[in-house]
Amino acid sequence: MTTRIERAQAATRDAGIDALLLTPGANLRYLSGYAAKALERLTCLILPASGEPVLVAPQLERAAAVASGLTVDIATWQESEDPFALVKSLLPTSASTIGLDDQMWAARVLALAEALPSMRQVLAGPLLRELRMRKDADEIAALRDAGAAIDRVHERMDEWLRPGRTEREVGADIGRAIIDEGHEHVDFIIVGSGPNGASPHHEVSDRVIERGDPVVVDIGGTNQAGYCSDSTRNYLAGGEAPIAYMDAYRVLFEAQSAQRAHARPGVTAESVDRIGRDIITAAGYGDQFMHRTGHGIGQETHEEPYIIEGNDRELEPGMAFSIEPGIYFDGHFGARIEDIVVCTESGIECLNNQPRELVVLD
């Protein structure tokens, strides 16, 4: 069976790149299994287009790299040594083009340019994202586990979300539950009550939740396997929701349902966005749907494929992404329904299965 490293090397050769240099982040973990810390000391995986990869790491991080189950050779450097000179010495002598991790710190990029003045630098992202976009069975199982874990947190929302508590207090409880229910760490918590729900990336605040407030709860974490969860549900903190909110919510529910029904291999990413956006626009809420329908997910919460107008890529089995239309009225309220789905051979598997209807917490 071809390994991830072998597939990455083949893609590197096809792109005319001599070696990839990957610093701590999702790409390094995807290829090596090592979730290296992003520190001021250089850690860098050197992946030549042909030949054996090697991890450059500080001596004091060697034990952590070995403990991760890393199977590539490790070249360590001491505190008084120049790690960029070590990288240069380990690159193929014929190398003229190197692919750098898209999220490599600018200081690293400039230091490599100084150490390797004759080398052309290009982005490694375009070729690696093609590999990471299509999840294998183990990755889908890890995403399924993460999705079930975040569903269990949503299922417990009535333990914490009620009038008289602040968004911050509710968010702290949610954070503990994200860990308790099977994540290794918390990635984000959005508790948007009342008018704060109209800000899609609101986090938490000291606003006291009031009876009758619609509340957007968007939460996610990363599990031990390194895969992310992300799910949004909507709650009513007792009482009755405003009529205008319920009118908008019915349209949102219809749009998200239509998008899930439409998504399958062979349709384009933009068509999934369009079918929901058309429903929302026809109902008069087009200007209140201000973002794309979704994003890919894996070892990062946001990765390819993006479900947005203009992306004519056809969906394929193994692609995992969110379907999350929203309607937002600035100063009043907002709502978003979000599921993570995975393309199967003939349709999709939905990894989030908590109720999508407005949940009333009395």
Side-chain angles (χ1 to χ4, degrees):
M1 181 177 177
T2 306
T3 66
R4 291 178 182 178
I5 282 180
E6 289 170 336
R7 292 197 298 273
Q9 287 182 309
T12 300
R13 290 192 296 272
D14 291 344
I17 300 172
D18 298 303
L20 303 183
L21 302 183
L22 307 177
T23 44
N27 287 325
L28 192 156
R29 184 171 188 173
Y30 176 79
L31 290 178
S32 71
Y34 178 34
K37 295 179 181 178
L39 304 170
E40 74 279 9
R41 298 178 177 91
L42 179 70
T43 295
C44 180
L45 178 67
I46 301 174
L47 183 68
S50 298
E52 296 300 316
V54 60
L55 181 78
V56 170
Q59 177 63 40
L60 80 167
E61 295 296 326
R62 180 182 176 85
V66 171
S68 74
L70 191 72
T71 58
V72 305
D73 290 339
I74 305 173
T76 59
W77 58 277
Q78 302 291 342
E79 295 281 68
S80 59
E81 296 177 328
D82 179 1
F84 299 97
L86 178 57
V87 170
K88 179 179 181 179
S89 72
L90 293 169
L91 284 168
T93 56
S94 61
S96 61
T97 301
I98 52 175
L100 305 184
D101 195 300
D102 285 18
Q103 298 182 24
M104 183 181 288
W105 293 348
R108 305 273 195 256
V109 176
L110 295 176
L112 286 167
E114 183 176 353
L116 305 164
S118 63
M119 296 248 185
R120 184 170 72 101
Q121 295 181 345
V122 298
L123 291 174
L127 64 91
L128 290 175
R129 72 172 61 108
E130 291 296 322
L131 304 181
R132 290 176 52 194
M133 199 183 310
R134 300 164 186 83
K135 273 61 180 180
D136 61 27
D138 289 341
E139 291 181 286
I140 293 170
L143 285 168
R144 190 180 293 121
D145 173 79
I150 211 67
D151 273 3
R152 291 193 294 272
V153 180
H154 275 295
E155 190 174 15
R156 296 176 56 191
M157 203 58 58
D158 62 352
E159 296 179 28
W160 320 298
L161 203 166
R162 57 184 175 270
R165 304 196 76 204
T166 67
E167 294 174 350
R168 196 177 309 279
E169 289 169 338
V170 174
D173 288 334
I174 291 171
R176 287 186 284 270
I178 288 173
I179 300 300
D180 291 345
E181 294 297 345
H183 294 82
E184 193 169 65
H185 59 82
V186 178
D187 292 335
F188 60 91
I189 298 170
I190 294 172
V191 181
S193 64
N196 289 341
S199 174
H201 282 171
H202 174 77
E203 295 181 348
V204 296
S205 75
D206 292 321
R207 183 182 186 277
V208 176
I209 297 169
E210 300 177 3
R211 183 171 176 80
D213 274 348
V215 185
V216 179
V217 178
D218 184 351
I219 51 178
T222 300
N223 63 13
Q224 189 173 16
Y227 286 80
C228 301
S229 64
D230 184 3
S231 180
T232 308
R233 291 295 186 262
N234 300 270
Y235 301 90
L236 184 67
E240 294 186 6
I243 293 174
Y245 175 86
M246 292 307 302
D247 289 343
Y249 199 87
R250 281 189 286 271
V251 173
L252 180 65
F253 186 92
E254 179 187 356
Q256 206 259 2
S257 298
Q259 289 173 316
R260 285 186 289 110
H262 174 76
R264 61 188 182 277
V267 306
T268 62
E270 66 180 354
S271 72
V272 179
D273 179 273
R274 187 180 306 121
I275 194 169
R277 195 171 300 275
D278 286 350
I279 290 170
I280 291 171
T281 299
Y285 300 112
D287 290 342
Q288 283 70 50
F289 182 10
M290 64 182 77
H291 55 71
R292 65 191 174 214
T293 285
H295 54 81
I297 192 169
Q299 292 203 4
E300 293 178 290
T301 307
H302 288 192
E303 56 185 53
E304 297 280 355
Y306 291 101
I307 311 303
I308 187 172
E309 185 68 34
N311 184 2
D312 61 0
R313 177 185 288 275
E314 291 188 358
L315 300 178
E316 301 174 34
M319 289 183 175
F321 52 91
S322 69
I323 297 179
E324 51 176 307
I327 296 175
Y328 311 93
F329 281 87
D330 189 35
H332 298 281
F333 55 75
R336 181 170 60 258
I337 304 172
E338 177 184 18
D339 294 307
I340 300 302
V341 304
V342 180
C343 273
T344 64
E345 292 296 328
S346 58
I348 60 168
E349 176 187 355
C350 193
L351 304 187
N352 299 115
N353 295 289
Q354 283 299 106
R356 299 173 184 90
E357 296 83 4
L358 178 67
V359 177
V360 181
L361 302 177
D362 282 319

